[in-house]
Amino acid sequence: MTTAIEHLINEWQSKKTLQENFVYCHTQARCVAKTTPFPADLDDRLAAVFVRQGIHSLFEHQSLVWDNVHAHRGVVITTPTASGKTLAYNLPVLQQLLESPHATALYLFPTKALSFDQLNNLTEIADKFRELHQFPPFVAASYDGDTPQSMRKTVRDNATVILTNPDMLHLGILPHHTGWERFFCQLSFVVIDEMHTYRGVFGSHFANVMRRLRRVSEFYGSAPKFILTSATIANPLEHARHLLNEDDIVLVNEDGAPHGEKYFFLYNPPVINKELGVRSPASVEGIHLAGDLLRYHIQSILFSRTRRGVEIILHQLKQRYPVALHEIRAYRSGYLAEERRKIEADLREGQTRVVVATSALELGIDIGNLDAAILVSYPGTISSTLQQAGRAGRSDKPACAILIASANPLDQFLVKHPTYLFGRTPEHVYIDPNNLLILINHLRSACFELPFKEGERFGDLDPDLLKALLSMFVQSGELVEKNGKFFWMRDAYPASDISLRSASGVIVTLQVAQGDRFVTVGEVDELSSYWMVHPGAVYLHEGQMYFVEEYDLEKKSVHLREFHDDYFTEAVKHSELSLVMQEKNRGSGALVLAYGEIDVTSQVIGYRRIRWETRELIDQQTIEMPSQNLRTPAVWFAIPELVANQLREADLWSNDANAYGPLWPAIRKLVKRRDEYRCRLCGVKENGQSFHVHHKIPFRRFANPEQANEMDNLITLCPACHREAEQNLRKKSSLSGLAYVLHGLSPLHLMCDGGDIEVNVDEDSALVDGETVIVFFEMVPGGVGLAQAFYESFEKILHDAYLLVSACECKDGCPACVGPAGENGIGGKVETLALLRLLGGDEGDGITE
Amino acid sequence: MESLSDKLKALGVKLGLDQTEPSGATIKTTQADITELLPEGKLIPTIHGETFWVEEVYSGTGNHGGFQVKQSTDFSSMLEMVGADAAFDLENCVFMDTETTGLAGGTGTLAFMVGLGFFRGEDFYLYQGFLRDPTEELAMLTYIAGLLEGKNTVVTYNGKSFDVPLMHTRCTLNGFEKLFAPMYHIDLLHLARKLWKYRLPSRTLGMVENEILGFHRSAEEVPGWMVPELYFEYQKTGDATVVLPVFYHNAMDILSLGVLLQVTASLLDNPASLDSPGVDTVSVARMAAEQGNIEKAVLLYEQGLQDDMPTEVYVETLLRFATIYKRDKLWHSACILWEKAAEKRSLCACEELAKYYEHTMKEYQVAIQWVNRGFKFSEEMKLGGYERTRMEKAWQHRLERLLDKWARQNKS
């Protein structure tokens, strides 16, 4: 029997116009459930509750978790979305709470929405206990910023399962641990859900919060067991061990849950402008495909990266397919719980046929399973992609997921190299709990919580460094040392100086006008604020776009207003780099790759406005923000002279005639006359052979010929000098093209945001005596391990860069490869490709094919 | 190689406040030891080491401000008011106040001085424990436990939200039982707030000392906010001279607590006994009303209102008193109070009267008269923009409704 999905897939495959857009299909075969009976030692009362819930046996991975927990090992579960991870950890925890009625458990979720969801889940279990005339073995309560003050003491004194987030643990619980004496004395389990979200800066903070949690638990004589869950990442075990500084953790990743056949398509929208490499916008294609799904009565979810995207898609879908109101709905963060429950119920009952959501929904919130998922553009990481695609999938029917590529380099790379998504190596997750800037305030908080004893360790922090830091605090009077103990000695609450989601702790608040007052909607750390929320910037917050109206440097506050235009902004920075210390280097083909620490003094001097859908440059504006200093790890390499010469010799001249405008002949004459018919470089006078008039700043960089053809931008050159000038420009564009593509691809290897790293072309560089250098550095002071990872996987990234650029269909550079033509000089694609080839990028074995 | 502190500086880390001082500058040549500076102090051995204590006895017949240290006091009204049990006995009370390294709370705040006071016989005994360094904390707690034996009531000023939870945190951190947990707790701040709401601009202990007890501290006094810094300096330099004023500060706090408990109890027993009989009496009346002791409240309200008091207090008291009658539908008595308040231009009173004549008496014409009076008052009050529009709207609405009702009543 053919299902609706299979019918539709056939239809897609048979349409000529569509066929070529479905560039890849990954099929996952149907598989049956691998179940095991309830463990023999499972408490009968608990078993009865689950039977009540319709659960009569466990999936294999769930009983594997059970076994390992009972063997006193920590467990990381990485099975896919909707495979019953919650049950996997609830089971051993609830059993423990049944066995010892005073035992307690701490559940940590990265967001409040998630803990809310899981609280409901536990409440249902408690209800089932009551239905069976049994007393539930636990009192579950959430304890976070939303818990009313009047309720907090009751929760502290009575709850046996606390659901909270790392921020609250860090700020509200650990520094007041004496108020939680009962809870900590009996702490048996710590459940860490969605562990993969604890990466980069947030993850480095989180690891420190875990160090503090460990100290406090030890003080009360408890040694909780850890259960972690994670989306698919390349290094779940290593990451869990790093987060907890604990080796005895095992991985459970074999999914025992049943599922029907699953088709995962990669869809590349048709090119609608070959010259500029412009493709049809992903959202437009998404709406088309959603229409097909509607026609076939296939229940589906559309993911968009922004709330605005959600609204646009919703609006257009409704216009085009006039169905009942509840059949197409949006679902995003900010909705009230009641609304959400209603949509969930409608989805389960099949009333709602299409739901449009932001990526906020990809984390474990239960909306049931659907038949199809459409991802409008790459969500940024492979993990997220798999999570979102995992929303489609039934235990007994086929399902499909479609990723629609946008013009972003990563999107374009992925549709051409699908193995990245479906091979066995998704991203690595990196943290650096010993980043000094992050570490230092946690160390203060730890001292505030309990005096440090001499010889005591703090995670895997080098004992000598720990000692040095403690004695520095003694020196500064923050600690008093006596009899080998270090006591906090300040009228301060150090935890309040830390925001887990930023590195420096200096916070800029983001405010939106509501009536006549301003309401704080979020915060960014000061270091990032200059390029993220400078005046005129478009800032994306929880899927909503805002326009930055004002940045008050003194009050450290930013005024935003909601924004509904279809462009985003990119800060233009001027940076100066200087070397602090080179730590190591290694050869890589023709290159010498160096790793070390640098100082980056940078200033935001302007910003570009760019169209969302096409990535087309609208214009560039000038502003001036204060300059700032960043001490950070970096990787750099100079272009060897040999390579530079080879580039110069290879005649990469592509003689595109630009349309200089109708006035060009007249302007040319004026310039030559102004320069007295002499070459401004070598001084030779025009004689017979006609001299050239050269644009100092390339013509294509300007929005219109009038600006490009300003007299100040034009000089007279002899053909030889002109060739030299153009070649320098070309070298420049090959370097900036390389920097662009390295920056575009690195997040794929490092599981970070584009904003976490920067790749610069540094001319006359202080890093390698005055040479032109490409520098990769982290945007977090002290770094979180990304530069180190870049250093190690450089060849792979270089090779992928080559593959991306060489396979790109554009003519002379586009947003999807080396940057849009016109932005980095003249095109730059051919030049970048030549450079990549010379650097050995074509020989690599980086790709996982 | 860069030094650690340079490295941190480059990363933008700010170190402690003292970082800029050149090291050694603050270290004095003479490091006066606390045992030398306070020869009356004793190092007391406990099973957990030595702890430093100063003891002093104040004669019960001596004066503290305008009051004798020990008075003959009837505590029964106060005990009734705070709901304490009958086992109360001044001899079983401990007066407690801590000096700490900050107000931030949490596990990192240290109570480096704990002052305890007891009435024994005719005298007041003061004990002050002091941490020469944080390692002596367990010894100090151990000694406190001994001092507290047989005591069943702890008396503090703001101790419910600060000193007692802090002491309990310190106990937990030292693996010690929570010292004050089994005791009945009288927090005099809570009583002071209710008693002197009208009389004092603020209810800090200093304010109550000056205005109620008539006590003024000597030049030795340091303000409370300076206390943590003095201890930090002592910890840094080892020079105990800087913390000496803290002993005086803490001693006076404890002594004031001892006297204040008695003064408060006497006042609750006989509100007219001090210099502001009217205001004090109506304050106690209000407390009685909140306590549910309506009979006593009515009596005290009636008594208090015969004395002079500021107009705002007078009007507020009339209105509060009236709510008692209103609740019992004793309209006549309530109206008398409202009309008195209306004489003092109370808008609320006009509103109450308007409501009474509209809903209870259905005398719309009289109600309209009260509304018009309200309008007049509100105009005279010169309210701000938003408040004014809101109020006028409500009154306008009321007026229209009344006119409507009146018209209909006339027709029928």
Side-chain angles (χ1 to χ4, degrees), chain A residues 174-179 181 219-220 435-437 440 444 447-450 465 468-469 472-478 480 482-483 485 487-493 506 580-581 597 599 629-632 781-782, chain B residues 1-2 4-8 10-19 23 101-110 133-137 165 168-170 172-176 178 225 228-229 231-232 235-236:
Chain A
L174 290 175
H176 286 283
H177 61 81
T178 49
E181 188 185 1
F219 175 76
Y220 291 102
N435 170 306
L436 273 178
L437 192 58
I440 198 148
R444 282 181 169 124
C447 291
F448 180 94
E449 282 148 15
L450 288 167
L465 181 57
L469 286 168
M472 203 179 63
F473 288 145
V474 171
Q475 199 95 48
S476 67
E478 290 169 84
V480 162
K482 190 83 193 177
N483 300 348
K485 274 187 167 183
F487 296 88
W488 180 250
M489 201 46 72
R490 269 280 161 272
D491 182 9
Y493 192 81
V506 182
V580 177
M581 193 180 57
E597 238 180 1
D599 271 330
N629 214 22
L630 171 72
R631 167 75 57 100
T632 189
Chain B
M1 266 302 277
E2 246 181 339
L4 185 57
S5 61
D6 284 346
K7 202 165 182 171
L8 287 169
L11 284 171
V13 174
K14 286 180 193 76
L15 284 171
L17 301 168
D18 306 354
Q19 190 61 8
S23 62
T101 56
L103 299 175
T107 47
T109 305
L110 187 69
D133 66 65
T135 60
E136 294 183 342
E137 193 173 32
H168 287 173
T169 283
R170 304 318 304 172
T172 304
L173 283 171
N174 285 279
F176 214 82
K178 294 190 175 83
W225 58 266
E229 281 309 320
Y231 190 67
F232 297 148
Q235 284 299 306
K236 197 161 181 191

Side-chain angles (χ1 to χ4, degrees), chain A residues 670-688:
Chain A
L670 273 172
V671 174
K672 284 195 193 177
R673 193 187 305 157
R674 180 197 68 191
D675 293 343
E676 297 169 344
Y677 303 97
R678 277 176 195 282
C679 171
R680 291 271 298 268
L681 277 182
C682 62
V684 172
K685 198 157 181 158
E686 188 177 48
N687 190 5

Side-chain angles (χ1 to χ4, degrees), chain A residues 128-187:
Chain A
K128 290 281 176 301
F129 267 97
R130 283 189 203 97
E131 281 170 29
L132 292 166
H133 310 293
Q134 285 168 9
F135 204 59
F138 57 86
V139 181
S142 59
Y143 191 88
D144 54 37
D146 293 345
T147 312
Q149 286 292 343
S150 56
M151 283 288 296
R152 293 191 176 186
K153 192 170 155 42
T154 315
V155 173
R156 277 200 300 269
D157 291 347
N158 300 298
T160 51
V161 182
I162 292 283
L163 297 91
T164 185
N165 51 49
D167 312 73
M168 192 64 184
L169 178 63
H170 145 75
L171 195 64
I173 298 178
L174 290 175
H176 286 283
H177 61 81
T178 49
W180 297 80
E181 188 185 1
R182 172 198 62 90
F183 185 81
F184 279 118
C185 280
Q186 300 288 336
L187 185 60

Side-chain angles (χ1 to χ4, degrees), chain A residues 547-652:
Chain A
F547 180 82
V548 178
E549 298 210 302
E550 193 191 338
Y551 186 150
D552 189 324
L553 291 165
E554 269 178 24
K555 286 193 201 142
K556 304 218 183 298
S557 70
V558 169
H559 287 175
L560 308 173
R561 67 170 158 79
E562 283 193 17
F563 179 72
H564 299 284
D565 213 336
D566 70 338
Y567 69 86
F568 65 95
T569 54
E570 223 171 55
V572 180
K573 271 190 275 192
H574 172 76
S575 302
E576 270 173 39
L577 311 181
S578 62
L579 181 64
V580 177
M581 193 180 57
Q582 180 177 323
E583 281 174 31
K584 54 187 170 188
N585 64 49
R586 65 179 179 90
S588 169
L591 294 175
V592 177
L593 207 58
Y595 174 91
E597 238 180 1
I598 62 168
D599 271 330
V600 183
T601 310
S602 59
Q603 190 180 13
V604 173
I605 51 169
Y607 60 94
R608 299 191 190 96
R609 304 197 301 161
I610 299 165
R611 288 226 184 281
W612 263 114
E613 292 290 8
T614 58
R615 302 230 144 198
E616 169 198 347
L617 176 72
I618 302 169
D619 59 10
Q620 181 164 331
Q621 305 278 335
T622 319
I623 46 164
E624 199 171 307
M625 297 299 286
S627 73
Q628 53 183 176
N629 214 22
L630 171 72
R631 167 75 57 100
T632 189
V635 178
W636 63 90
F637 57 89
I639 302 301
E641 193 53 30
L642 185 73
V643 173
N645 286 339
Q646 281 172 325
L647 262 185
R648 212 162 285 142
E649 277 158 27
D651 196 9
L652 300 169

Side-chain angles (χ1 to χ4, degrees), chain A residues 654-675:
Chain A
S654 50
N655 248 333
D656 277 2
N658 286 316
Y660 289 142
L663 294 174
W664 180 242
I667 295 167
R668 243 171 81 132
K669 266 188 197 149
L670 273 172
V671 174
K672 284 195 193 177
R673 193 187 305 157
R674 180 197 68 191
D675 293 343

